[in-house]
Amino acid sequence: MEGGRQGLESLVAARRSLRASLDKSRALGVALARAGPRLEEIQQRLPSLEAAVRPIRAERGALVAVGGHIDRAVGPAAAVLKVFDAVHGLERSLLADPLTDLPSYLAVLKRLEEALRFLSDNCGLAVQWLDDIVDYLEDNALADPRFIGILKDSLASLKSSPSLLDGGLLAAALDKLESEFRRLLAENTTPLQMPPDTGDAPTIAASPLPVPVINKLRSILERIIANNRLDRCISIYVDVRGSNIRASLRGLDLDYLEIRPAEFSDVQSIEEYIDKWSRHLEFAVKHLFEAELKVCFDVFERTVPREMAESCFAEIAAQAGILAFLQFGKTVTETRKDPIKLLKLLDLFATLNKLRLDFNRLFGGKACVEIQNQTRDLIKRVIDGACEIFWELLHQVELQRNMPPPSEGSVPRLVSFVTDYCNKLLSEQYQPVLNQVLMIHKSWKQQKFQEKLLTEAILDIFKAVEANIDTWSKNYGDITLSHLFSMNTHWHLYKNLKATKLGELLGEAKLKEHEQYKDYFSAHFLRESWGKLPPLLSREGLILFSGGRAKARDLVKQRLKAFNEAFDDMYQKQSNWVISDKDLREKICQWVLHTIVPSYRSYMQNYGPLVEQDASASKYAKYTAQSLESMLGSLFQHKTGRTMSLNIRHSNGKVSNAMTNLARSASTVS
């Protein structure tokens, strides 16, 4: 029994073991079935795994020896990779708008610059160390040649593309800074309007940039300069600030600055433009350019050398049109020479001289050489042109001596023009300027300047006018007209030179001399003309009695006929003559009336009845006293007649375009 029980237990145990084996076999079969595809995948990957393992297929000792080299190369490479990760982390901040927080933006940009400097300094070193490891692997055949080739290509790509260190992030950030630089300038720059009159107005200036804005611009410039992009920022500054000055000047209507000599006949045609030029140039220099230079230095002086700031300002000034102002002045100097041009050249010089210190301060730097050269050239042209015209004046007055005098005996335009013109030159407006011009011109020729040079020259001109008057008076065929002419001109000189600069220069005695000449010639004029008529109405032989009445009537007829003929002839002749001055004309007419009318009235009252009853009475009693008064009172009225012209004629006899028509000149000089 005991033995049978043991056998049964053995069978049970065997059955359990067999069942367990069957279960394991079944599970293994299932597992194998599942592992089949995976084994197939592994089998497919074996070649690539073999290729991956093949590069380091080497003896253990050789691999141990190269390990140290690899560790030394991987350390710097890992540091470079960390910095690359940091650069990538700055990208979001630097691609944002710096307007929101400029200081933070600049701080982030500075971190980027530092990271890029690290990469620039160490990336090459890390690549070089990796390159050395690759060479070591190749030299010791520690890796597959194809693998070595791939590594070399990758390293070569890193060496040839250093600009890709930041993926263009720095350039994008600097572009945004430049845009912010432009925005700050544009939003804080406003055109300036010229006041109605800048002559005595206090100096005005364009609103300066606010200090916070200047500080922001300087901060931007620091980063721009650190990255070698200053030229682009200067271009932006010149564009914005230059546009602002041009906008300020645009409202002044400066089209006249572009005018050329061929577009007008003489300086009087552009006289209005010359006056505008003086005001506009003063406004531009004292207010626009003065303010611009200050702003330029405020922005750039702490970040760039002073010469660069001056160069920036010079470019703004040139673009804004300072050279156009100088070119217009040059155009004026190229016009035809005439007396009015001398005054306008003196106006140009006065303006330039008034702005001389401003020009030296604003445009005295090396960057403004072109402006300096054109300014010097303009000043030389102005001084040379003014002196040439001034020294020609005497010669031109003398040349007029051969011209015929006015046919109506009036004051020649030359006389009135030259005297008025000389008073202009002696005025407070022009005398100091002309003296300075003459002094500078003498110094250029290394000649000594005499204090009385100007006044003596003007006295010489006046003496030439007097000589002309004397010559012209002798050119009249009618002595009576000669007296009228002399009376006219001497009275004109006396009356129009009293209380004037030229009159003061001539002196009271000289003026009295002209007044005396007027009295002398007026007396001779009356005696030689109208004074001859009253004796024709002689009473001699007129005895009114019955036996002699017929004889008296015949004598009255003869004498009235002679008087009428003489009166008609003289009236017809003198009705075309002119006494220029109204007061003198009225005075002479009164003298003529007092000479003729009382005698005629008395004669007609006494002897008129002798002929009034005659059939031909109207032939002899031709005039009444009232009609004579009316006729004589209308004499010597000014009429538009021929005028004399004053043209510069050089000493060789060739006429130049130096002087324009005198009538036109005289109407301009007041």
Side-chain angles (χ1 to χ4, degrees), residues 29 98 133 253 469 561:
I133 293 302
D253 189 16
I469 293 172
K561 181 180 179 182

Side-chain angles (χ1 to χ4, degrees), residues 1-206:
M1 285 293 290
E2 186 66 29
R5 186 179 299 112
Q6 291 179 346
L8 182 58
E9 292 176 353
S10 298
L11 287 172
V12 172
R15 189 185 65 176
R16 291 175 180 167
S17 176
L18 181 59
R19 179 171 291 183
S21 297
L22 287 173
D23 291 339
K24 288 181 180 179
S25 297
R26 190 180 295 112
L28 181 60
V30 173
L32 287 174
R34 291 177 179 175
R38 189 167 182 177
L39 289 173
E40 185 177 351
E41 180 183 353
I42 292 173
Q43 186 176 5
Q44 292 175 354
R45 291 178 59 189
L46 281 176
S48 59
L49 291 173
E50 181 183 7
V53 175
R54 188 181 304 121
I56 56 173
R57 199 184 301 169
E59 296 182 1
R60 180 181 179 84
L63 292 175
V64 171
V66 79
H69 293 284
I70 293 175
D71 290 341
R72 286 192 296 274
V74 169
V80 168
L81 289 176
K82 283 186 178 182
V83 175
F84 268 117
D85 290 338
V87 168
H88 181 70
L90 301 177
E91 183 174 351
R92 182 175 180 181
S93 298
L94 292 177
L95 293 180
D97 194 336
L99 168 64
T100 56
D101 189 354
L102 181 60
S104 298
Y105 191 92
L106 294 173
V108 174
L109 178 59
K110 194 169 184 180
R111 287 169 55 193
L112 174 62
E113 294 170 9
E114 293 171 353
L116 292 179
R117 280 196 297 272
F118 176 85
L119 292 177
S120 178
D121 294 340
N122 294 282
C123 187
L125 179 61
V127 170
Q128 183 60 51
W129 281 23
L130 292 174
D131 200 27
D132 291 343
I133 293 302
V134 172
D135 290 341
Y136 184 87
L137 293 175
E138 183 180 29
D139 293 343
N140 293 278
L142 297 178
D144 184 88
R146 286 178 296 176
F147 178 71
I148 296 295
I150 293 172
L151 289 177
K152 283 192 170 184
D153 290 343
S154 299
L155 292 174
S157 177
L158 288 175
K159 292 177 183 178
S160 63
S161 304
S163 60
L164 300 178
L165 293 177
D166 67 338
L169 180 59
L170 177 61
L174 293 175
D175 288 343
K176 286 185 172 295
L177 275 187
E178 290 172 358
S179 297
E180 178 65 6
F181 188 84
R182 179 183 290 275
R183 185 194 69 80
L184 286 170
L185 281 174
E187 291 186 358
N188 292 277
T189 296
T190 305
L192 180 66
Q193 289 187 345
M194 177 178 168
D197 182 11
T198 60
D200 299 321
T203 299
I204 58 174

Side-chain angles (χ1 to χ4, degrees), residues 537-554:
L537 299 175
S538 172
R539 299 171 186 249
E540 183 179 353
L542 297 178
I543 302 174
L544 300 179
F545 53 88
S546 59
R549 192 173 185 85
K551 182 178 181 182
R553 182 183 298 112
D554 291 339

Side-chain angles (χ1 to χ4, degrees), residues 644-664:
M644 302 177 66
S645 63
L646 183 62
N647 292 316
I648 285 280
R649 184 184 297 270
H650 291 296
S651 55
N652 60 8
K654 184 178 180 181
V655 176
S656 73
N657 290 328
M659 295 280 184
T660 57
N661 184 272
L662 183 59
R664 188 173 183 183

